[in-house]
Amino acid sequence: PVSWYKYMQKNKPITYDPAFTTIFGSEGAWQIFPHAAIQDVLVNHQIFSSEVMPKTDDNPYSRAMTVTDNPRHKQLRSLVSNFFTIKSIVKLEKKIRKIANDLLAAKLEDESMECVQDFATLLPIQVIAEMLGVPYSDRDQFKKWSIAFFNDPSESEEGAMSYFQSQNEMMQYFLLLIEERQKEPQDDLISQLLTSEVDGKRLSTDDLLGFCILLLLAGNETTTNLIGSAMLTFIEHPEVQEHLSMNFNDIPKAIEEVMRYRSPVQSTYRIAKEDTDFQGHSIKKGDLVVVWLGAANHDESVFPRSEQFDINRNNHSQMAFGYGIHHCLGAPLARLETKIAFETVFGQCKNIRLEENANLSIRQSHLVYALNDLPITFE
Ligand code: HEM
């Protein structure tokens, strides 16, 4: 929470916490809270490596660019970067608008919806399906798997079953899709990757699976969380909601401020490749480093009165998409999807409010800031 970030920034801005448990299960990590120090870590990728997990065959994600250092990182990134430039993304605009419009149309008559399940979850999944080239006839299946994929397997036995089953089914599905594209290439990302080479060699099937899983993981839940948090923030600030519904041009800067104010990704990890003196702290080779992007975005020295949501503040240096060579590749897409989501909603709905007696459940972990559900009403 922001109060903890502020406490740490003031009292222990860079500190080693021996009890910190990461998603990899290891204990102990450096914790970095100030905006400037976080930038230093992320820029210094020769020392602070992204290879925080071993590359294994049974975990295709371990081969993804996010957890790979240069030179291979750069090679992998360049294979798909043309799909994510503003020029390419704009080509998707019409389709995104149709997806958003169809999702909202199904709820207009009710004048209410569960914004996370009915809208914010489904929009990015359908967009990614479009990019990967998942055929229309498979979209419902794909949606089901993707949603199950984001269940926390530790939450319930049933959740775990559906998580592992859908993970398996989805891998099998991607393998089939890869095979089909091998036989008959299309104008989609998988077909492009099939003919790509790194160091004169085609990508392995595991590499291809790694790409597919990365795009699902990196692109879906994050964008869902951004749309959900933005909706909540606009409900909490009715004057902003009213302003935006009459001034669509200001929607992008409002979204940028939501990214700062409630960052969908709260932290990311690096691992020290060598012993180093970092701003007076002796970091040892192999030490894990947690950089708190959510804290950077509430650093008072960069964002005065950080707890105020202010769409007119200068937030160019917000770090919700990371910083340096691993800066989010999907940022233009996430921005466009969210902009279209709110143009669609504000174009057709007014007086958006939380449903009466709604119990908001916010999930804030080391990694994410997310809403479990967001029941809303509108006119
Ligand atoms: C990397 C956040 C949406 C694809 C990152 C990183 C962050 C981030 C913080 C850097 C991680 C690190 O340095 O360790 C977000 C947020 C999003 C979002 C907050 C939505 C609001 C997307 C979308 C896609 C995507 C829609 C693609 C469909 C990627 C990829 C990387 C990445 C491929 C790895 C880049 C690299 O390693 O060079 N994202 N992301 N992201 N993101 Fe996003």
Side-chain angles (χ1 to χ4, degrees):
V2 174
S3 55
W4 179 65
Y5 290 154
K6 289 198 187 291
Y7 173 84
M8 296 306 276
Q9 277 166 342
K10 206 161 156 211
N11 298 293
K12 297 183 197 169
I14 298 173
T15 184
Y16 187 79
D17 176 358
F20 188 86
T21 313
T22 71
I23 46 168
F24 318 117
S26 60
E27 283 215 341
W30 287 93
Q31 311 276 317
I32 317 256
F33 297 92
H35 188 279
I38 291 174
Q39 276 189 346
D40 273 359
V41 170
L42 294 179
V43 145
N44 217 332
H45 53 89
Q46 284 92 349
I47 291 179
F48 297 108
S49 158
S50 287
E51 302 204 344
V52 290
M53 56 172 78
K55 299 204 179 300
T56 58
D57 285 346
D58 60 350
N59 177 6
Y61 178 71
S62 67
R63 315 181 71 81
M65 73 176 97
T66 11
V67 286
T68 301
D69 290 338
N70 275 340
R72 193 167 170 83
H73 163 259
K74 195 171 174 193
Q75 293 165 327
L76 290 175
R77 187 167 165 128
S78 70
L79 294 185
V80 288
S81 56
N82 66 324
F83 270 85
F84 291 94
T85 56
I86 292 181
K87 216 168 125 198
S88 303
I89 294 304
V90 163
K91 282 195 230 148
L92 285 174
E93 176 160 355
K94 250 196 183 150
K95 289 201 172 125
I96 302 176
R97 233 172 252 292
K98 174 155 180 8
I99 296 169
N101 213 43
D102 288 352
L103 291 173
L104 184 62
K107 296 289 158 186
L108 273 184
E109 217 169 280
D110 298 348
E111 298 201 332
S112 69
M113 68 173 163
E114 206 296 282
C115 180
V116 175
Q117 310 305 334
D118 298 337
F119 190 71
T121 304
L122 299 180
L123 179 67
I125 288 178
Q126 299 201 33
V127 174
I128 244 359
E130 183 74 41
M131 275 186 112
L132 288 172
V134 173
Y136 272 97
S137 50
D138 296 342
R139 292 271 164 109
D140 282 343
Q141 253 319 18
F142 185 77
K143 243 188 300 185
K144 221 178 74 195
W145 288 326
S146 315
I147 291 171
F149 209 84
F150 293 113
N151 285 339
D152 180 349
S154 62
E155 259 170 26
S156 70
E157 210 171 300
E158 204 187 18
M161 278 285 288
S162 94
Y163 174 86
F164 291 115
Q165 195 181 339
S166 49
Q167 199 171 23
N168 253 333
E169 285 175 0
M170 187 170 258
M171 300 271 210
Q172 294 308 321
Y173 178 80
F174 277 132
L175 284 174
L176 270 180
L177 198 64
I178 290 168
E179 230 171 77
E180 274 174 26
R181 293 299 181 274
Q182 257 157 350
K183 285 189 211 132
E184 225 173 294
Q186 312 267 327
D187 182 20
D188 60 33
L189 200 143
I190 294 182
S191 306
Q192 172 170 316
L193 284 174
L194 276 168
T195 53
S196 306
E197 292 186 352
V198 173
D199 290 338
K201 273 201 289 203
R202 290 269 166 102
L203 292 178
S204 67
T205 306
D206 282 340
D207 285 331
L208 290 167
L209 269 180
F211 259 113
C212 296
I213 306 286
L214 167 64
L215 294 179
L216 266 183
L217 290 179
N220 277 347
E221 210 200 347
T222 47
T223 312
T224 296
N225 294 342
L226 174 59
I227 295 173
S229 291
M231 184 66 89
L232 175 64
T233 309
F234 299 152
I235 289 173
E236 288 170 343
H237 298 83
E239 71 293 350
V240 175
Q241 186 184 137
E242 207 182 319
H243 173 82
L244 294 179
S245 58
M246 286 184 300
N247 298 277
F248 280 17
N249 286 344
D250 283 346
I251 290 177
K253 70 179 187 187
I255 291 169
E256 221 50 31
E257 175 66 352
V258 173
M259 303 246 359
R260 181 198 70 77
Y261 183 69
R262 289 186 162 134
S263 310
V265 176
Q266 290 287 312
S267 71
T268 187
Y269 298 154
R270 294 294 186 264
I271 191 160
K273 266 212 271 205
E274 49 191 79
D275 291 357
T276 182
D277 175 73
F278 185 74
Q279 306 193 358
H281 299 269
S282 145
I283 297 185
K284 296 270 173 285
K285 180 177 176 177
D287 282 357
L288 203 71
V289 177
V290 182
V291 292
W292 288 95
L293 302 172
N297 286 341
H298 279 276
D299 186 329
E300 287 287 321
S301 66
V302 185
F303 307 108
R305 293 166 288 103
S306 88
E307 278 169 273
Q308 269 179 28
F309 178 72
D310 174 4
I311 66 169
N312 292 315
R313 77 160 71 234
N314 175 351
N315 53 23
H316 294 315
S317 49
Q318 65 89 358
M319 274 201 273
F321 284 121
Y323 191 74
I325 61 167
H326 290 275
H327 180 268
C328 178
L329 183 63
L333 177 61
R335 288 182 167 122
L336 181 67
E337 281 181 46
T338 312
K339 175 177 101 96
I340 291 177
F342 284 95
E343 285 175 358
T344 308
V345 170
F346 289 147
Q348 299 174 65
C349 311
K350 59 180 183 178
N351 288 334
I352 304 168
R353 303 216 169 95
L354 271 187
E355 207 169 76
E356 239 172 84
N357 304 324
N359 267 334
L360 260 194
S361 125
I362 292 173
R363 188 157 33 93
Q364 184 160 18
S365 69
H366 294 155
L367 292 175
V368 299
Y369 183 100
L371 297 166
N372 289 327
D373 41 38
L374 182 63
I376 59 172
T377 61
F378 48 79
E379 289 160 19

